[in-house]
Amino acid sequence: MLLNNTTRGFLWSDAETRTLLNIWGEQDVQEALDGNFRNSFVYRDVSRRLAAMGFERTPEQCRVRVKSLKRQYLLAKEGNLRNNRQYHRIAKFYDTMERILSSRPALVDPQEFIDSGAGGEEAVDGLDEDAEDAQDVYSESTGDCPFPAETEVKLEYPTVPIPIPVKVTVGNNSTLERPHNSSQLASHCPASTPKQRKRRRANFPVERVMEQFLKQSAQAEDNFYRMEERRLQAEDHRREAEHARELHMLQMLGQMFANISARPGCVAATVAPAPAKTAPAQVFSKTSPLCAHRQSSPQTDSLSQQGHLLSSDPQALVFERHHSLGSSSHSVMEEHIRSMVKKIVPPLSGHKHKGQDGRIGIIGGCQDYTGAPYFAAISALKVGADLSHVFCTKDAAAVIKSYSPELIVHPVLDSPNAVEEIDKWLPRLHSLVVGPGLGREDFLLKTAKEVIEKSKARDIPIIIDADGLWLVTKHPSVIQGYQKGILTPNFMEFTRLYETLQHKPVDGGDHRSNVLQLSEAMGNITVLLKGEQDLIADGSTVVTCSTEGSARRCGGQGDLLSGSAGVLAHWAHAASQAGLITGVNPSVVAAMGASSLTRQCNKQAFQRHGRSTTTTDMIQEIGPVFKNLFER
């Protein structure tokens, strides 16, 4: 019995089938099928075109129907080769299929297709497709089985002598022995009555073979999907357990440091003599900005030795941590960089033209994720960019356009020539944000990778977030060493990227050291680690953004940050080239501005809406928060 499948079993009318073949036979569809291993997006496009013609079919139904027609065509073509006209009646649309497939390279031998039970159809399609029911093969277009109900196969065997002892009773109870084998028996038989040789006939219909093959294929496919579902569930459980374990460790560490800070020894360390203070502060605090500028000398070597001696003292270690996390030098540097943000903001002027203050591009947006690219693009406009371009897939474009008329939406991300289409716009863009709503399909990630390479060649700032960081985890070299690049991971994205590059787990007790190491491993590009306090590193320094946020975490906050970072990165590098800011990395200035803005918007929106705060509420706060932070 064949397995039930909700995507099959729907009868197609002749008009519907001819419309499907006309669309499937178009040159752009055939080129997309020939050039891609995964072709689900092609059949989504075919389904949309079919719907535009008035026929509602899912991409899976279109794919199954085309596959069934190809199988019928191959069977009919093999029948033509054998000069057997009954095969030609199998494919009702033989001429149309001949016109379409004759221009494509023959990827499978029809005789091999027949003999192997359609085992070569994967070579025809070039992808891993579902096995079809027998109904897709024969009865889907005509409703009748094209073969006779039964195909007789004649089996002939040579005559073999079989010994048959026979006794015949005659009069007076005497017996006569007949010949002992069939040959002797035949010699005694009259020549006028020869034995007719029997022919054995075996019923072996092709339909039964095909049905058995399809049933086994469907069973194997279902088993594969069940195993894959179990694997994904196990992976989700593992991630949840890992996250819970890390959260538990952080809570334990926080409680431990809180208990230590409450001891009298901590106060004693705070009022310790000046030499004891200076040594551990400079030796142990790797995260202190002063450490990077410390010169080697006999005096500092002596302090280093004192630091190693003091390392055995828990009170000294407590003081060192207290100094590294709460020293005034960090606050001074944070305020200094925040003051640099005010210098990079371009003044408003009536002499400027549209686009002069920033044209930002967002690479992302697919069928499942349409909100993320909108949040990033609209945040860029709210911060002060003149134009926001969103490069997304076709099925996401209409949804994103409906969110706001201010956005320029390009539905090219899933087209076969997506890179060429986006490359036409790159000379007009000032910065690029890659990742919001991008998804993890191989074709989309490949397109994003090539766009990043072309953007690097044009020397424009690139901010990578969300699924763009998944691409960087798989291919770190795509952004490694690019000084105008900014990565904005959350803790889970940071952990995945850190363990890929460092080949060791993240140190849960020293996030400043972790973010500094990751920045160095990525070629000293700017890394903004989002968390309770945002940490920004560029390979030489680590800066903390201590602007107060709120306890509310909702989806889309990271997209607000990445969109605003795209605008600020353009302004910062332009100001650096003009000499308005010196002595500080422009990407760090942009990251600090975006982090401060996002956290303050979160705080003010939470004060208004409390637990019901959403990213839309935060976007409404961008104007007054930006003016309060950077325009006073």
Side-chain angles (χ1 to χ4, degrees), residues 27 49 70 206 251 266 280 339 373 411 417 484 552 616 622:
Q27 183 177 359
R49 298 187 192 181
K70 283 196 290 185
V206 178
Q251 291 175 347
C266 182
S339 67
N417 58 339
K484 290 188 177 182
R552 172 62 172 156
T616 302
I622 291 179

Side-chain angles (χ1 to χ4, degrees), residues 204-503:
F204 206 66
V206 178
E207 293 93 331
R208 187 180 303 171
V209 176
M210 188 64 69
E211 180 180 351
Q212 184 179 4
F213 166 76
L214 292 176
K215 182 178 180 180
Q216 293 176 353
S217 300
Q219 289 176 347
E221 182 187 6
D222 289 344
N223 291 336
F224 168 77
Y225 282 131
R226 281 197 294 268
M227 293 178 62
E228 185 68 11
E229 183 177 0
R230 292 173 184 172
R231 186 188 68 80
L232 293 176
Q233 291 177 352
E235 182 70 13
D236 291 340
H237 292 326
R238 185 191 66 80
R239 290 179 180 177
E240 292 176 359
E242 182 179 359
H243 180 69
R245 184 170 60 253
E246 291 173 350
L247 183 62
H248 180 66
M249 291 178 62
L250 290 175
Q251 291 175 347
M252 291 181 60
L253 287 172
Q255 184 178 3
M256 181 180 67
F257 287 124
N259 294 335
I260 293 176
S261 61
R263 295 178 182 177
C266 182
V267 178
T270 305
V271 297
K277 277 186 178 182
T278 306
Q282 293 185 350
V283 175
F284 290 109
S285 181
K286 294 183 180 180
T287 57
S288 173
L290 301 176
C291 181
H293 304 287
R294 181 167 54 88
Q295 302 293 328
S296 176
S297 64
Q299 183 179 2
T300 56
D301 293 340
S302 175
L303 292 175
S304 177
Q305 294 176 1
Q306 295 177 17
H308 285 294
L309 292 175
L310 287 172
S311 64
S312 60
D313 185 3
Q315 296 181 359
L317 290 176
V318 172
F319 168 75
E320 184 273 329
R321 180 169 294 278
H322 172 74
H323 178 79
S324 64
L325 293 178
S327 64
S328 60
S329 61
H330 294 159
S331 300
V332 171
M333 178 171 288
E334 179 182 353
E335 290 301 324
H336 173 68
I337 295 177
R338 189 176 286 115
S339 67
M340 294 292 102
V341 180
K342 298 181 179 181
K343 294 182 179 181
I344 69 173
V345 177
L348 297 175
S349 172
H351 299 288
K352 293 182 178 180
H353 57 79
K354 180 178 65 176
Q356 191 170 346
D357 280 343
R359 296 183 293 270
I360 312 302
I362 311 296
I363 306 296
C366 60
Q367 184 178 11
D368 296 331
Y369 307 107
T370 57
Y374 162 73
F375 287 141
I378 200 66
S379 298
L381 290 178
K382 291 283 188 178
V383 168
D386 292 338
L387 297 172
S388 279
H389 296 258
V390 178
F391 300 90
C392 62
T393 61
K394 292 181 181 178
D395 45 10
V399 180
I400 297 175
K401 285 181 180 179
S402 68
Y403 292 153
S404 174
E406 286 91 358
L407 306 182
I408 304 172
V409 182
H410 307 270
V412 299
L413 196 57
D414 57 348
S415 62
N417 58 339
V419 178
E420 291 76 8
E421 292 291 335
I422 298 175
D423 189 40
K424 297 176 183 177
W425 290 91
L426 288 181
R428 310 181 191 183
L429 301 180
H430 292 124
S431 67
L432 200 68
V433 180
V434 180
L438 178 62
R440 296 182 182 179
E441 290 190 17
D442 293 339
F443 178 78
L444 299 180
L445 293 177
K446 180 182 178 182
T447 299
K449 182 175 182 292
E450 296 180 13
V451 171
I452 291 175
E453 296 291 349
K454 291 184 177 293
S455 301
K456 287 165 55 180
R458 296 186 180 277
D459 196 37
I460 63 176
I462 303 173
I463 289 80
I464 301 182
D465 186 39
D467 292 326
L469 294 170
W470 176 268
L471 172 64
V472 174
T473 302
K474 299 299 181 182
H475 306 281
S477 60
V478 70
I479 196 66
Q480 197 167 24
Y482 186 61
Q483 296 306 305
K484 290 188 177 182
I486 301 176
L487 307 183
T488 60
N490 57 30
F491 182 74
M492 294 303 296
E493 294 164 342
F494 176 85
T495 301
R496 187 164 50 235
L497 185 57
Y498 181 92
E499 292 178 353
T500 299
L501 293 174
Q502 299 293 335
H503 306 290

Side-chain angles (χ1 to χ4, degrees), residues 12-262:
W12 290 64
S13 65
D14 291 350
E16 193 174 8
T17 302
R18 288 193 180 92
T19 304
L20 173 65
L21 289 178
N22 290 336
I23 296 173
W24 180 72
E26 292 179 4
Q27 183 177 359
D28 59 335
V29 175
Q30 291 297 313
E31 290 177 355
L33 288 172
D34 289 338
N36 294 279
F37 184 74
R38 297 283 182 184
N39 56 23
S40 59
F41 70 94
V42 179
Y43 282 102
R44 285 200 297 269
D45 184 49
V46 171
S47 176
R48 286 194 294 270
R49 298 187 192 181
L50 193 62
M53 301 297 291
F55 301 105
E56 293 293 337
R57 291 288 180 173
T58 66
E60 177 66 10
Q61 290 174 343
C62 294
R63 184 189 66 77
V64 171
R65 181 57 173 156
V66 169
K67 190 172 182 180
S68 174
L69 291 171
K70 283 196 290 185
R71 183 180 301 150
Q72 296 173 19
Y73 163 76
L74 290 177
L75 290 172
K77 190 171 184 178
E78 176 63 14
N80 281 340
L81 294 177
R82 295 177 178 174
N83 295 322
N84 191 340
R85 291 189 175 274
Q86 71 173 349
Y87 286 89
H88 187 76
R89 291 196 297 270
I90 297 173
K92 191 172 183 179
F93 305 94
Y94 181 87
D95 295 334
T96 305
M97 296 296 294
E98 174 70 16
R99 174 177 57 81
I100 296 174
L101 296 180
S102 60
S103 61
R104 298 181 64 182
L107 300 180
V108 65
D109 184 8
Q111 179 61 38
E112 180 183 350
F113 182 89
I114 299 299
D115 295 341
S116 60
E121 72 192 36
E122 285 80 1
V124 176
D125 289 343
L127 60 112
D128 51 343
E129 295 180 337
D130 299 332
E132 277 71 30
D133 300 335
Q135 180 182 359
D136 296 331
V137 183
Y138 302 117
S139 61
E140 201 168 288
S141 62
T142 64
D144 297 325
C145 178
F147 284 117
E150 170 180 291
T151 301
E152 295 184 348
V153 180
K154 300 179 181 180
L155 303 177
E156 298 183 359
Y157 300 92
T159 304
V160 179
I162 302 175
I164 306 174
V166 179
K167 291 185 179 181
V168 181
T169 303
V170 296
N172 299 326
N173 295 328
S174 62
T175 61
L176 294 176
E177 185 174 346
R178 290 296 183 95
H180 292 277
N181 55 53
S182 59
S183 61
Q184 294 176 359
L185 182 62
S187 63
H188 288 271
C189 294
S192 59
T193 58
K195 295 288 290 185
Q196 185 69 24
R197 187 167 52 187
K198 292 184 179 181
R199 292 183 178 179
R200 296 185 181 180
R201 299 177 183 271
N203 296 330
F204 206 66
V206 178
E207 293 93 331
R208 187 180 303 171
V209 176
M210 188 64 69
E211 180 180 351
Q212 184 179 4
F213 166 76
L214 292 176
K215 182 178 180 180
Q216 293 176 353
S217 300
Q219 289 176 347
E221 182 187 6
D222 289 344
N223 291 336
F224 168 77
Y225 282 131
R226 281 197 294 268
M227 293 178 62
E228 185 68 11
E229 183 177 0
R230 292 173 184 172
R231 186 188 68 80
L232 293 176
Q233 291 177 352
E235 182 70 13
D236 291 340
H237 292 326
R238 185 191 66 80
R239 290 179 180 177
E240 292 176 359
E242 182 179 359
H243 180 69
R245 184 170 60 253
E246 291 173 350
L247 183 62
H248 180 66
M249 291 178 62
L250 290 175
Q251 291 175 347
M252 291 181 60
L253 287 172
Q255 184 178 3
M256 181 180 67
F257 287 124
N259 294 335
I260 293 176
S261 61

